[in-house]
Amino acid sequence: MRFTHLLQVACLLPFALPVPAAAASDSLDDFIRVDEFLSVKISPDGTYFGVLFYQKDKKVLGFLRRKDMKLTGGARAIENGHVIDFTWVNDERAIYEIAIDLGYEEQTVSTGEMFATNRDGSKQAQIYGYRAPEKIRRSANQSVLHLLPEQKDWILIAEYPWVEGGSGLKAGVLPEISKLNVYTGQRRRLGRIPLPNGRPLATPAGDVLYAAGAGADNIGKYLYRPEPGAEWQEFTLDGFSNDDIKPLALFDGGNAVLLSGPRGDKGLRGVYRYEWESGTLTEMAASPTVDIDYIFTDPFSGAPLVAEIDDGKVSYAYLGAGDHPLVRSHQMLVQAFGGRRVAITGSTRDYREMIVQVDSDVHPAEYYLFDTTTNKASYLLGTRSWVDAKTMRPMQPITVSARDGLTLHGYLTLPAGEGRPFPLIVVPHGGPHRVRDRWGFDNEVQLLARYGYAVLQINFRGSAGYGDAFETAGYGEWGGRMQDDITDATRWAIAEGYADPARIGIYGSSYGGYAALMAAAREPELFRCAVGFAGVYDLELLYKRGNIRKGRGGEAYLRRVLGSDAAELHSRSPLYLAADIKVPVLLAHGTADEQVPMAHSEALREALTAAGNPPEWLPLPREGHGIWDEDHRRTYYRTLLAFFDRTMPPAAADTTGS
């Protein structure tokens, strides 16, 4: 079953599947194209595949009849949005959610609505949300609690009503538990959770017996009841380093709950089982280095089965029974695919066949159909079929000791050839908090390596994924110890012989742009050039303009991570250090960016020009806090590569396609 079969497109839809790409050419365009496919899931009876893919610049949903791989139906989002996820709820019908572009986000934003369609494209309907037909219209967000596989027409949801004059989750709103008909949108209310914005859990039978949330004092609160209709009882969870404890699933008919929460001095997040009757807490999966923050679940019962541990390269801990067919299959597939990341994204109802997503640092995601009766995995399709893994460069996990002794983790990608030491580009991630760099396929990193550059990514203090203590160690350290960590990692790369000290540049987006320009100001002898895309260059301006301050708790977040003393903010802002920036600078920014307004780049451009170092300038029309338009991406990366080539040329640059 090869990808070429997907070309047999039915005429039932006004759109078609992507045309297979030509053989890999290693041109610039090969790195800036969007993925062909985004998700693949098999129907419960195994006769159809659901796929998400791009049509032009929009994500759409299509259904492939398995016996002939013909497209039989599909759906687009209303009002020019995107389909962002879908779930089979029975053999013929799927529900899906949509998102819209707001112009200032790096990703699209969910509307909280729900839609449904049959696999032949019939009976399409909005079944939940503020734009649904009047008789079922609901001004609320929803979250699916259970698919109720024994009830073909119904699913179980939690509803979060909007307050007057606003939308989204608001303080004091009590969630409602309802059954939702996936054909008509009819609701049957089953009761409320007496905990504002609580996150409930249901048993496989659909009984809601647990909820976690926060009380009026904003402190974590946990409720359970032994059976439906019983009084809710509060209980405490001791030994966690904070109350950010996330419910995952109920066990033993509701007598135990699986939780994810931080423990120990580092505040590392692990997975634990708590039994109400005995009060016993049992560790199910934990790492001494990283948080466990990704769980694979049974698509029918919702039970968590596999925890992914992203410590350098990926490993796994198994949470479910060892004889569960999905667990057995996952263990077998991990061995068969030798070192790649393996995720089971869907299964038939009898677990005989399943869809497997496989990827690595050099392999973009590919989808396989795994047959448990023959133990054979058949290739279905790939997200970037034109990429030749043999020409991609591996991400090497690295460990660096910061100047104060703190251990830092990151990745080093070296170009092909014998040119060591290589010209190095340091790429600090955005965020900077609640975000980290991970092992996996990265178009931008591979592009830079293809053109002859080594790429260094370091998870400086403040990054997510290494425990609460590591993340909070970055609070108040923008331009301080966080910046030192980037410098220390760069000097490590020089000392280890990977980087040519005369050819080191730094480049980042959003916070990464801030870090790049701060590096140019603080370490003028270390970095030969700096590039900022959509960067933050005036910390005080974050309190006055942009959407960060407008979000729930946004200003409190800024005060926590930045402080509010104006003089201190100025001393840690590239705008006020422009006279110290002597190296060549490239500034790029989307003109429609509302997350980090273009005023940051415009002001820094003026300051650098006044200081006698006018930057190269690239405004991107109509782009927000990212680059969506393919022509704009092409222009941007051509400009970026040409800038690096002028300021720190690689020893033997590969400029194919430039």
Side-chain angles (χ1 to χ4, degrees):
M1 186 182 301
R2 300 297 296 177
F3 176 56
T4 50
H5 294 160
L6 302 182
L7 293 181
Q8 303 172 27
V9 178
C11 60
L12 297 178
L13 289 177
F15 56 84
L17 291 169
V19 176
S25 65
D26 293 334
S27 72
L28 172 62
D29 282 1
D30 289 337
F31 294 94
I32 66 172
R33 294 171 58 186
V34 298
D35 290 354
E36 289 176 304
F37 295 95
L38 306 168
S39 181
V40 182
K41 299 178 183 179
I42 193 168
S43 63
D45 63 1
T47 61
Y48 278 77
F49 300 119
V51 294
L52 283 184
F53 59 94
Y54 275 104
Q55 185 180 24
K56 295 184 178 179
D57 60 346
K58 299 301 178 185
K59 301 172 188 175
V60 298
L61 171 63
F63 298 103
L64 298 170
R65 187 169 54 213
R66 180 176 169 183
K67 67 180 181 180
D68 54 13
M69 294 304 287
K70 286 187 176 180
L71 188 67
T72 63
R76 287 192 183 94
I78 60 175
E79 294 190 6
N80 210 30
H82 302 264
V83 179
I84 54 171
D85 194 17
F86 73 98
T87 302
W88 289 98
V89 292
N90 57 47
D91 293 339
E92 71 170 359
R93 196 157 180 81
I95 56 174
Y96 62 94
E97 297 186 28
I98 70 170
I100 56 176
D101 297 324
L102 295 183
Y104 56 80
E105 297 283 354
E106 290 181 292
Q107 298 180 350
T108 52
V109 179
S110 173
T111 66
E113 300 168 285
M114 185 184 294
F115 300 79
T117 180
N118 283 359
R119 62 195 186 189
D120 62 0
S122 65
K123 299 184 179 179
Q124 293 191 13
Q126 179 171 0
I127 58 174
Y128 193 90
Y130 69 100
R131 292 181 289 188
E134 185 174 356
K135 64 179 181 180
I136 60 169
R137 187 172 300 156
R138 185 74 167 143
S139 296
N141 291 350
Q142 53 73 33
S143 175
V144 177
L145 295 181
H146 206 286
L147 296 180
L148 303 177
E150 301 303 319
Q151 302 181 46
K152 174 178 176 288
D153 295 357
W154 299 86
I155 59 174
L156 189 69
I157 64 171
E159 302 183 70
Y160 299 88
W162 296 351
V163 297
E164 185 176 351
S167 64
L169 301 185
K170 303 292 182 180
V173 176
L174 297 181
E176 299 177 5
I177 306 301
S178 301
K179 288 173 65 176
L180 178 69
N181 189 292
V182 296
Y183 290 89
T184 67
Q186 176 188 353
R187 289 184 304 121
R188 294 179 181 173
R189 293 181 58 189
L190 303 179
R192 285 187 171 181
I193 302 295
L195 190 58
N197 297 322
R199 294 171 292 180
L201 288 178
T203 67
D207 298 327
V208 177
L209 303 179
Y210 171 91
D217 53 7
N218 207 31
I219 295 176
K221 192 174 182 180
Y222 313 98
L223 304 177
Y224 83 99
R225 56 185 180 179
E227 59 185 6
E231 292 294 321
W232 288 97
Q233 304 174 38
E234 185 174 354
F235 67 99
T236 59
L237 290 166
D238 299 323
F240 290 91
S241 54
N242 63 48
D243 57 12
D244 183 21
I245 302 170
K246 299 175 182 178
L248 299 176
L250 294 176
F251 282 120
D252 298 337
N255 293 318
V257 62
L258 197 71
L259 307 160
S260 168
R263 292 174 68 85
D265 294 339
K266 296 181 180 180
L268 287 161
R269 182 172 292 277
V271 179
Y272 303 89
R273 173 190 174 110
Y274 180 80
E275 299 179 18
W276 287 302
E277 187 172 337
S278 64
T280 303
L281 186 73
T282 304
E283 180 183 291
M284 302 293 287
S287 164
T289 309
V290 295
D291 294 329
I292 295 179
D293 53 12
Y294 193 81
I295 307 292
F296 303 146
T297 62
D298 183 315
F300 301 103
S301 71
L305 299 174
V306 185
E308 183 178 291
I309 303 173
D310 202 346
D311 183 8
K313 295 185 178 180
V314 176
S315 61
Y316 304 94
Y318 293 94
L319 309 172
D323 60 351
H324 192 293
L326 293 179
V327 170
R328 293 198 310 269
S329 297
H330 189 271
Q331 291 170 324
M332 184 183 306
L333 289 161
V334 167
Q335 288 190 340
F337 282 102
R340 298 198 214 178
R341 178 186 284 107
V342 175
I344 296 174
T345 64
S347 168
T348 55
R349 188 179 292 107
D350 59 7
Y351 302 113
R352 176 179 173 176
E353 295 177 304
M354 53 199 68
I355 300 293
V356 183
Q357 177 182 316
V358 182
D359 64 273
S360 76
D361 52 343
V362 297
H363 298 87
E366 297 176 333
Y367 292 94
Y368 292 80
L369 180 66
F370 181 61
D371 188 325
T372 61
T373 62
T374 63
N375 290 334
K376 290 184 178 180
S378 303
Y379 175 84
L380 282 176
L381 48 85
T383 57
R384 305 180 71 80
S385 61
W386 60 90
V387 171
D388 181 359
K390 294 190 294 294
T391 67
M392 299 297 105
R393 304 301 301 159
M395 294 176 68
Q396 304 174 22
I398 61 171
T399 301
V400 176
S401 181
R403 65 189 67 181
D404 62 357
L406 185 66
T407 298
L408 309 173
H409 300 270
Y411 302 92
L412 180 67
T413 303
L414 300 178
E418 302 298 328
R420 180 171 171 175
F422 297 102
L424 176 72
I425 299 175
V426 182
V427 184
H429 64 69
H433 313 296
R434 305 170 188 169
V435 177
R436 60 163 287 195
D437 284 317
R438 297 177 183 272
W439 182 81
F441 189 83
D442 187 310
N443 289 325
E444 189 173 78
V445 170
Q446 293 296 336
L447 172 63
L448 295 174
R450 170 63 57 192
Y451 279 77
Y453 299 102
V455 181
L456 175 64
Q457 299 166 279
I458 196 70
N459 284 315
F460 43 79
R461 73 192 70 202
S463 303
Y466 297 91
D468 289 342
F470 188 86
E471 183 165 347
T472 57
Y475 291 179
E477 294 295 340
W478 290 42
R481 289 188 176 90
M482 292 168 71
Q483 202 69 41
D484 292 340
D485 292 345
I486 296 170
T487 298
D488 293 345
T490 305
R491 296 195 185 282
W492 170 89
I494 296 171
E496 293 294 315
Y498 296 115
D500 180 349
R503 294 184 295 167
I504 297 178
I506 186 165
Y507 155 55
S509 303
S510 195
Y511 172 84
Y514 165 86
L517 272 296
M518 282 299 294
R522 290 189 48 178
E523 307 289 345
E525 301 304 316
L526 182 60
F527 297 101
R528 295 298 188 261
C529 62
V531 180
F533 171 76
V536 174
Y537 306 125
D538 180 358
L539 298 185
E540 190 176 22
L541 188 60
L542 290 176
Y543 285 95
K544 301 174 182 178
R545 294 189 60 180
N547 273 19
I548 298 174
R549 64 191 175 88
K550 295 179 181 179
R552 185 182 178 191
E555 187 166 330
Y557 167 78
L558 291 173
R559 293 183 183 279
R560 185 166 65 253
V561 302
L562 293 179
S564 56
D565 179 81
E568 179 69 15
L569 293 175
H570 285 196
S571 73
R572 293 185 282 119
S573 294
L575 176 64
Y576 300 99
L577 301 174
D580 298 326
I581 299 175
K582 307 296 186 182
V583 301
V585 172
L586 167 62
L587 297 178
H589 216 118
T591 61
D593 191 346
E594 296 180 30
Q595 186 82 356
V596 178
M598 194 175 177
H600 283 268
S601 288
E602 292 172 330
L604 182 58
R605 179 194 185 196
E606 293 179 6
L608 287 170
T609 301
N613 183 24
E616 188 164 347
W617 176 245
L618 182 62
L620 295 166
R622 302 177 302 281
E623 295 289 2
H625 203 56
I627 309 177
W628 293 100
D629 182 82
E630 186 170 311
D631 288 336
H632 287 167
R633 286 199 299 275
R634 184 177 297 107
T635 297
Y636 172 71
Y637 281 108
R638 282 178 175 169
T639 303
L640 181 73
L641 291 167
F643 177 80
F644 285 140
D645 188 53
R646 287 195 307 273
T647 57
M648 42 170 288
D654 175 359
T655 56
T656 305
S658 63

